[in-house]
């Protein structure tokens, strides 16, 4: 994805920033309607009659679940403002095991499944006159985008290292540390464009289009700028005609679609999504 040095591409949206913790603060205010798409879950079926030395069980099956699949089992319900804590009955990020051998993992935050995004592009394309001209914003706080990756070294052996081994390890650490620092500096340099200062989140802007995002495997062959393999879906995505905004806030386990009444109605009617209409001032917390 080519970097966009002109943060003025987002000036229109900054003028519509709402309160930080609500839907309007995540995706912008003043749109006709908003939809919240719950991020899908990973569920695995375990054979709990067998356990390895670490207490882990063999996996018999792995599928995607909706939040409703968990809510049915916990006796709760999904609704526009549902939280994972209320749906799962847990207030932490641990997996949720069930007596029949299934175990559900919490939804990922700040990550919009590329398969779900690919399905969404069908509706986004019909709702914009600029499907080939999109702006994608990625939070610059991810360690792989900020040059903030760290190295750790350890000694593995039955005995403490001797003096010669210590010297070899120190030399190895010095070489690898220098290489790692050069790599991180290269990342920082390659992404040295002005940041889009969305409230609470500085974003690296890049150019993309809906045909690219319609391929669920797009991340496997995409770089952000000239150097950095991209491992994140956008925190913000908007069409150049300003018809809609998609927002996946890094601390939210759902994605917001802001746009026309017809766009939101189409998203809500599509059974591929677990989606609810939400108000601009609402917050799933």
């Amino acid at each position: 994805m080519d970097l966009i040095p002109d943060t003025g591409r987002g000036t229109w949206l900054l003028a519509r920033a709402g309160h930080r913790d609500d839907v309007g603060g995540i995706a912008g205010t003043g749109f006709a309607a908003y939809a919240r798409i719950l991020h899908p879950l990973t569920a695995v079926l375990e054979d709990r009659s067998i356990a390895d030395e670490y207490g882990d069980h063999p996996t018999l099956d792995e599928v995607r679940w909706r939040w409703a699949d968990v809510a049915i089992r916990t006796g709760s319900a999904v609704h526009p403002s549902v939280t994972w804590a209320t749906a799962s009955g847990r207030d932490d990020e641990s997996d949720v095991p069930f007596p029949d051998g299934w175990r559900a993992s919490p939804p990922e935050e700040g990550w919009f499944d590329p398969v779900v995004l690919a399905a969404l592009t069908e509706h986004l394309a019909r709702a914009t006159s600029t499907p080939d001209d999109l702006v994608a914003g990625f939070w610059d706080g991810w360690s792989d985008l900020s040059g903030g990756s760290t190295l750790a070294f350890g000694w593995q052996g039955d005995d403490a290292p001797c003096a010669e081994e210590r010297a070899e390890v120190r030399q190895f650490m010095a070489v690898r540390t220098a290489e790692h620092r050069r790599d991180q500096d290269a990342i920082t340099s390659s992404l040295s464009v002005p940041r889009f200062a969305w409230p609470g989140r500085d974003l690296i802007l890049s150019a993309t289009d809906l045909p690219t995002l319609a391929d669920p495997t797009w991340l496997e062959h995409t770089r952000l700028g000239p150097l950095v393999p991209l491992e994140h879906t956008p925190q913000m995505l908007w069409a150049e005609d300003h018809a809609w905004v998609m927002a996946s806030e890094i601390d939210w386990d759902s994605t917001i679609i802001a746009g026309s009444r017809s766009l939101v109605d189409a998203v809500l009617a599509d059974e591929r999504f677990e989606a609810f209409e939400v108000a601009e001032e609402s917050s799933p917390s």
Side-chain angles (χ1 to χ4, degrees):
M1 287 186 172
D2 293 334
L3 300 177
I4 297 176
D6 179 14
T7 59
R9 295 279 295 273
T11 299
W12 72 278
L13 192 53
L14 277 178
R16 300 169 70 166
H19 297 291
R20 183 72 190 89
D21 296 326
D22 62 23
V23 167
I26 296 302
T29 61
F31 289 93
Y34 298 82
R36 178 189 178 203
I37 300 177
L38 304 181
H39 293 170
L41 320 171
T42 297
V44 298
L45 178 62
E46 302 173 319
D47 182 353
R48 294 182 184 158
S49 67
I50 304 172
D52 61 19
E53 58 184 309
Y54 304 105
D56 296 326
H57 308 289
T59 296
L60 302 176
D61 196 8
E62 181 174 324
V63 298
R64 288 205 311 177
W65 273 8
R66 295 179 173 231
W67 291 34
D69 296 317
V70 170
I72 289 173
R73 292 163 177 262
T74 60
S76 59
V78 292
H79 48 79
S81 59
V82 64
T83 65
W84 176 244
T86 57
S88 66
R90 293 185 172 242
D91 57 4
D92 57 27
E93 298 180 357
S94 61
D95 290 355
V96 185
F98 296 101
D100 59 0
W102 284 99
R103 174 172 52 83
S105 298
E108 294 195 60
E109 298 178 344
W111 167 265
F112 193 34
D113 188 325
V115 173
V116 182
L117 174 54
L120 182 64
T121 61
E122 299 173 20
H123 302 296
L124 297 179
R126 286 192 287 269
T128 178
S129 62
T130 59
D132 296 320
D133 190 2
L134 309 183
V135 178
F138 299 89
W139 180 50
D140 74 349
W142 299 118
S143 62
D144 59 319
L145 302 184
S146 65
S149 172
T150 58
L151 276 182
F153 299 93
W155 173 262
Q156 184 176 6
D158 295 332
D159 302 313
C162 65
E164 181 179 353
E165 289 170 329
R166 287 179 183 275
E168 291 177 354
V169 169
R170 289 194 187 98
Q171 183 179 9
F172 173 79
M173 290 171 58
V175 171
R176 286 294 296 117
T177 298
E179 292 175 349
H180 182 260
R181 186 64 267 159
R182 287 194 296 270
D183 290 343
Q184 297 306 298
D185 289 345
I187 289 172
T188 301
S189 177
S190 72
L191 298 177
S192 60
V193 292
R195 278 14 180 193
F196 174 57
W198 185 249
R201 300 282 181 250
D202 287 344
L203 304 178
I204 301 170
L205 299 185
S206 66
T208 189
D209 54 70
L210 287 176
T212 293
L213 302 180
D215 175 4
T217 69
W218 68 276
L219 277 175
E220 298 175 11
H221 44 77
T222 301
R223 292 181 181 273
L224 186 61
L227 181 65
V228 185
L230 188 55
E231 300 178 354
H232 309 280
T233 53
Q235 271 58 72
M236 299 192 79
L237 181 74
W238 66 81
E240 181 56 23
D241 65 357
H242 308 168
W244 48 257
V245 172
M246 185 191 85
S248 299
E249 154 61 27
I250 65 167
D251 290 330
W252 283 26
D253 48 23
S254 52
T255 288
I256 301 299
I257 309 300
S260 65
R261 178 75 261 169
S262 59
L263 169 60
V264 169
D265 284 345
V267 171
L268 297 176
D270 193 324
E271 294 185 356
R272 292 174 294 181
F273 313 126
E274 190 173 22
F276 297 91
E277 183 166 4
V278 289
E280 177 183 295
E281 65 277 6
S282 65
S283 176
S285 62

